[in-house]
Amino acid sequence: MFFYEGKVRPSLEEDGGGVELVEIKDGIVKVKLTGACGGCPMSQMTLTNGIERVLKEEIPEIEKVESV
C-alpha cells in the first residue's frame, strides 16, 4: 500500500516508531502502531492527524483509521 512506504512510514521511523497494516474492510483501516509509537501517549494524535489524514486525502473511500 502506498502510504506504508511513501508518506507515513518514513516520518514514524524518524521517531523510532512504525505502523503495520492489519485489515481494510468497509472503509475502515485497522493498523498496529509499533516501536516507539506503540506506547507513546501521543499515538492517538499520530493516528488521526497523521495516518488517517493522509489516507483520507489519497483514498476518499476511507472513512476511519483504527489502532488495534
Side-chain angles (χ1 to χ4, degrees):
M1 187 168 247
F2 80 94
F3 74 92
Y4 197 69
E5 296 298 328
K7 293 191 175 188
V8 174
R9 191 173 197 189
S11 60
L12 294 176
E13 287 177 343
E14 286 177 11
D15 294 323
V19 62
E20 295 176 6
L21 177 64
V22 175
E23 178 182 40
I24 302 173
K25 185 176 181 182
D26 300 325
I28 298 174
V29 176
K30 294 184 180 184
V31 298
K32 179 179 178 184
L33 296 173
T34 62
C37 291
C40 177
M42 300 297 288
S43 63
Q44 187 59 43
M45 183 184 288
T46 298
L47 189 67
T48 55
N49 292 340
I51 299 169
E52 185 174 82
R53 181 184 55 79
V54 169
L55 284 178
K56 285 181 170 182
E57 286 174 3
E58 298 291 329
I59 308 169
E61 295 82 15
I62 299 297
E63 296 175 20
K64 185 176 182 179
V65 177
E66 297 178 349
S67 179
V68 295

